[in-house]
Amino acid sequence: MTIPSLPSAYLEAVAAVLGPAETEAFLASYAAPRTYGLRLNTLKIDPASPAADKLAELFALHPVPWCGTGYYYEESTRPGKHPYHAAGLYYIQEPSAMSAVELLDPQPGHTVLDLAAAPGGKTTQIAGKMAGQGLLISNEIHPQRARILAENVERLGIRNAVVTQAAPPALSGRFPLAFDRIMLDAPCSGEGMFRKDPEAIREWSPEAVELCAARQWDILQDAVAMLKPGGRLAYSTCTFNRRENEDTIVRLLAAYPFLRLIAEKRIWPHREQGEGHYVALIERDNEEKNGAIATGSDGRTGAAAGTDGAVRRGGRERERGRGGRSGPAERSVAAAWDSFRAWSADELPAFAPPAGGTPLLFGEALYLLPASGGLALTPEHLTGLKVPRAGLHLGDVRKGRFEPAHALAMALGAAEAAPRVWTLGEDSPLAAAYLRGETLEVPASLRGWHLVTLACGDGQYPLGWGKASGGQLKNHLPKGLRH
C-alpha cells in the first residue's frame, strides 16, 4: 500500500502531538494494511467454550490485548458473511474501538446510557458486560442509523436495551442524574478512519475539526446532566487531534468542578495494532447529592423540560377510565399480555420473561420494557420520543392470535425453547437456505412453532422461527434479513 496524500494542516496537528521523529513512524503506518476485528457476544457464547474454539479456527482469530473478548481476524475469512454472524455469535468491530467500553467497565445491574450509539459496537459490548441485568438505553439521533442500531441489538439477543432516536437535550430532560455509566462515542472528524476510508480524508478540514469540537461540547453537557453522583462517563473519539480530545476534556473539567479525570488512553496505529482511538474516563463527585443538576461555570444545566406524563399506545395517549378504572388502552395491553402468556405456556414452557418488566403495546407489537433497580423506567419516560425498540419485542397480536417476534427468537437460548428446537448442522447448507428465506423439509411429526438453531461447537444458536406442518418448516425469518 502507498501513503495517501494528507492535508498539510492535519500533518501539522499530528506533529504537534507526536513530535517530528514519531510523526514519521505514524505516517509510515498508512502504508500498512488496516486491521480487522470481531468481538465475541458473551450473551450467547463463552470465550472458553468449544464454540469459541470453533470460531477461532474458522476465522484464524488472535487476541486483541486490551479486550478479553476481542480478536483480530484474517480479512480473507470474511466472518461477516458467515451464518454465525446472523446467529449473533460476534460483532464485527475495529479493534481500537473496543478500548472505550473496557475502560468504562459497566457492571450487571447498572443503569447505562450509550448516547451516540449507532451502529452498535459499544452498545453490544456494554450489554455483554451487563449480562442481561440492569437497563441499557441506546440512543441515536439519525433515523437510518437508529434502525441499524436496533437491528444489531436484536441480532445479538439483548433483552434489557431500549433504543431511542432523540437529540441529547430530549433525554437529559427526562433522565436527570439517572445513569451509573454513560458512554459517549462522540461524532468526530474521523482521522482514525483515514487508512480504511479515503472519503474521510476528503471531508477533513480544520473547520470540520472546530465544528466537531463545538458539537461534542454541546453533547457532553447533556451527558453530565444525566450522570449520577459517583457515576462514570467514558468520552471517546476515533480522531487524533488534541482539539477534539484532551482539550475538550480540559474544558469539561474546568466548567464542571465536580468532575475528575480517572484515566485517559490513546491507541496509535504505529504503536499498536489498530486504526486509532482516544478515550477519557470521567467520574462525578459522589458527595454531590443535592438532588438537582449541578450547573457548570457557563450556567448551563443540560436539562430540558420534563415530560407531560401521558403514556402513548400506538401513537395515541393512553386513556384512563373515571374513578381509577382502566381505559381501553390498558385493557388492550392486558389482553395482548395474556395472549403472549397463553402462547408461551404452550410453545415455550421453559421460557420465563425477564422479571419486573412492563408490557407495552405499539399498534399490534407487544414489547417488554426492561426494569432497573436504579431507574424506575416507565412508559411516561418514552412519551414524545421516537423509540425504535422499547425493550424486548415479544411478538405481534393479530386478530386475537399471537405471533412471536424475531427478536424473541434471537434472545432465547436453545434450552429455553426446548423441546421445540430444530437444529441445523455446523456445515449444513440448510443454514444458508434458511437465511435465504426458503422452506425446509422436516419430519411430518413436527408441528407448530420451532426455534431454528445453528450448531457451533457444543452449542445451538438461534437463527429465527419456523412453523412446522405437513413435513415442511415454513420460514418466518423477516424478509428484510433474508440474503
Side-chain angles (χ1 to χ4, degrees), residues 106-378:
Q107 296 296 307
H110 274 166
T111 302
V112 183
L113 171 66
D114 189 356
L115 188 49
K122 292 177 174 63
T123 274
T124 54
Q125 190 174 1
I126 289 167
K129 288 184 173 292
M130 294 176 71
Q133 302 174 46
L135 169 66
L136 171 59
I137 296 180
S138 300
N139 182 68
E140 173 57 47
I141 191 171
H142 299 289
Q144 178 66 13
R145 289 171 57 81
R147 185 184 66 79
I148 294 170
L149 170 63
E151 288 176 355
N152 281 319
V153 167
E154 179 175 279
R155 180 174 62 85
L156 270 69
I158 300 169
R159 301 184 181 192
N160 60 324
V162 174
V163 176
T164 58
Q165 182 197 321
L171 295 180
S172 63
R174 288 166 168 79
F175 302 109
L177 304 176
F179 295 100
D180 300 293
R181 298 287 186 269
I182 296 178
M183 181 70 241
L184 174 54
D185 188 34
C188 69
S189 58
E191 294 164 358
M193 305 286 287
F194 285 3
R195 187 160 64 171
K196 65 177 184 179
D197 183 7
E199 185 62 28
I201 300 175
R202 289 189 285 272
E203 292 176 353
W204 187 93
S205 69
E207 293 75 20
V209 169
E210 291 301 319
L211 183 64
C212 288
R215 184 185 300 122
Q216 291 153 1
W217 175 245
D218 287 341
I219 300 172
L220 269 169
Q221 292 177 85
D222 284 304
V224 170
M226 292 184 277
L227 188 63
K228 279 183 180 178
R232 291 188 171 186
L233 160 70
Y235 170 83
S236 69
T237 75
C238 61
T239 208
F240 299 122
N241 66 77
R242 290 187 59 90
R243 181 73 179 88
E244 298 177 67
N245 294 324
E246 289 90 348
D247 291 353
T248 292
I249 295 304
V250 168
R251 182 183 180 187
L252 183 71
L253 298 177
Y256 295 95
F258 50 82
L259 299 178
R260 66 188 182 103
L261 180 64
I262 300 296
E264 206 169 18
K265 179 180 178 66
R266 271 187 180 268
I267 294 175
W268 292 90
H270 65 293
R271 295 177 184 173
E272 297 175 280
Q273 193 178 353
E275 299 305 295
H277 219 67
Y278 169 86
V279 57
L281 185 64
I282 306 293
E283 185 175 70
R284 187 170 189 148
D285 187 349
N286 196 40
E287 298 304 314
E288 188 237 328
K289 298 177 179 177
N290 57 18
I293 298 175
T295 304
S297 62
D298 62 357
R300 184 173 175 208
T301 65
T307 64
D308 61 9
V311 183
R312 293 189 182 273
R313 174 204 174 273
R316 294 172 295 176
E317 292 186 0
R318 180 176 292 182
E319 304 168 9
R320 293 193 178 275
R322 294 181 181 179
R325 293 174 297 176
S326 63
E330 282 86 351
R331 290 195 294 270
S332 295
V333 173
W337 181 248
D338 288 345
S339 180
F340 163 69
R341 293 305 298 265
W343 176 88
S344 63
D346 290 337
E347 305 285 352
L348 291 178
F351 172 67
T358 303
L360 286 177
L361 196 59
F362 289 85
E364 298 176 330
L366 179 66
Y367 287 82
L368 190 63
L369 188 67
S372 169
L375 173 63
L377 185 66
T378 67

Side-chain angles (χ1 to χ4, degrees), residues 54-71:
K54 170 72 175 179
L55 297 180
E57 178 185 1
L58 195 60
F59 304 127
L61 303 182
H62 56 284
V64 172
W66 49 83
C67 178
T69 57
Y71 297 86

